[in-house]
Amino acid sequence: MTHSFVLNVPDAELEPEPLAPEQIVSGTPEVTGKVVWESEDGRQVRGVWQITPGVVTDTEADELFVVISGSATIEVEGGPTLTVGPGDLAVLREGDRTTWTVHETLRKAYAINL
């Protein structure tokens, strides 16, 4: 997609994005998402991502996101613990090792730089 556009994030239809089994700490979280824009070189990605309740680990990219709905606690190894909910803007840095405890199904709009 190269042109300007608008997307209603709460109603966006998302596709399954399976988690690697080793990322799941507890529960049965399911991830869905949709890339809405990607730069030609693939180094910038914009999209919508959702995860159902549970606990998962991840190694982050350089990301800015805004929570649309739901809530989670994100523990950054060697850093802060972030509590996020609707309307919150958060920044994660490339290489951050995180543990996400998702309390309510969380949907976010994101911008990632690779």
Side-chain angles (χ1 to χ4, degrees), residues 13-93:
E13 290 188 33
L14 308 180
E15 299 292 328
E17 295 181 359
L19 286 164
E22 61 270 15
Q23 287 184 269
I24 300 171
V25 176
S26 69
T28 54
E30 295 180 5
V31 172
T32 53
K34 177 181 182 119
V35 172
V36 297
W37 181 86
E38 185 173 341
S39 63
E40 286 186 25
D41 64 4
R43 296 185 51 80
Q44 296 180 7
V45 182
R46 312 295 184 247
V48 180
W49 184 85
Q50 181 170 288
I51 185 168
T52 61
V55 180
V56 299
T57 61
D58 200 10
T59 301
E60 304 296 337
D62 184 23
E63 177 181 4
L64 176 142
F65 67 87
V66 175
V67 176
I68 305 304
S69 59
S71 65
T73 303
I74 307 165
E75 296 175 54
V76 180
E77 187 176 287
T81 296
L82 311 173
T83 301
V84 298
D88 288 335
L89 180 145
V91 174
L92 297 171
R93 293 294 174 207

Side-chain angles (χ1 to χ4, degrees), residues 88-105:
D88 288 335
L89 180 145
V91 174
L92 297 171
R93 293 294 174 207
E94 182 177 359
D96 279 351
R97 295 175 56 84
T98 57
T99 301
W100 290 66
T101 301
V102 180
H103 310 292
E104 299 173 72
T105 297

